[in-house]
Amino acid sequence: MKGKTLAVRIPAWAEKYEIGAEYKTDSFEATEEELMVSYPTAYPVEAGIEKLTRRLALEENSLRITDHFEFAKGCSKNVKEILMCVRPVCMENNTAIVDERFKISSSAGKIAYEQVPFDDERLTSDWNTDFCTRIVIECDGAEEFCIKVERI
């Protein structure tokens, strides 16, 4: 079944909800190995990003997320990707190590992290921790870059 496209069914009730409709995708393709989504209006005009195409590919022990940006002429090409997790994070050679089980790396840019404390007892109870970690991948000048999440 390699390479076979999968159909995605949208429930009829979902058409009633318009919240966020302006950010909808214009293209969605899926195979057993990868998912390709195009977001023409995911960002406000002032961001200078005219289109984002995201490709997610499953590999043997990893997930590869490749983003391709189309920028408006004369706009900054500075992009920040933010990942959130509730597991411990440390840094090693511009690679985030999550829970000593996963490595997050990027083909371009710098990776940093910060802990964000919870101020909600429900979150603390549900996640069994009193903080989450924000992993920030900042890239300046690249129109395409890749984030790889790899099992250690």
Side-chain angles (χ1 to χ4, degrees):
M1 209 152 113
K2 187 173 184 175
K4 186 173 182 178
T5 301
L6 305 174
V8 177
R9 185 176 169 275
I10 306 296
W13 58 263
E15 293 178 12
K16 289 190 251 179
Y17 300 97
E18 294 298 321
I19 298 171
E22 66 272 23
Y23 305 114
K24 69 181 180 183
T25 67
D26 70 340
S27 172
F28 183 95
E29 299 173 32
T31 67
E32 287 184 359
E33 292 83 26
E34 71 178 31
L35 172 70
M36 182 86 81
V37 183
S38 174
Y39 303 93
T41 57
Y43 295 92
V45 173
E46 57 270 14
I49 298 172
E50 295 180 339
K51 188 173 185 178
L52 162 62
T53 304
R54 175 166 285 165
R55 178 179 168 261
L56 294 101
L58 287 174
E59 298 174 350
E60 188 172 329
N61 286 318
S62 64
L63 169 67
R64 185 178 300 270
I65 305 162
T66 305
D67 284 348
H68 177 80
F69 294 91
E70 293 179 22
F71 295 94
K73 288 189 179 190
C75 289
S76 168
K77 296 182 179 180
N78 183 281
V79 175
K80 281 185 185 178
E81 296 281 358
I82 298 174
L83 307 173
M84 304 292 284
C85 70
V86 294
R87 308 305 305 162
V89 174
C90 66
M91 293 297 298
E92 189 177 287
N93 300 322
N94 203 40
T95 298
I97 309 296
V98 179
D99 202 25
E100 298 180 353
R101 295 174 41 203
F102 299 97
K103 294 191 307 187
I104 299 175
S105 58
S106 175
S107 63
K110 294 182 180 181
I111 300 177
Y113 75 95
E114 63 181 333
Q115 289 186 343
V116 180
F118 289 149
D119 58 3
D120 183 328
E121 283 186 31
R122 291 175 299 168
L123 290 175
T124 300
S125 174
D126 288 349
W127 291 102
N128 197 28
T129 184
D130 59 355
F131 68 92
C132 67
T133 302
R134 179 184 297 135
I135 300 169
V136 180
I137 303 166
E138 189 165 3
C139 183
D140 192 15
E143 292 183 355
E144 181 172 289
F145 68 93
C146 175
I147 298 168
K148 186 174 183 179
V149 180
E150 184 177 11
R151 186 179 304 245
I152 296 177

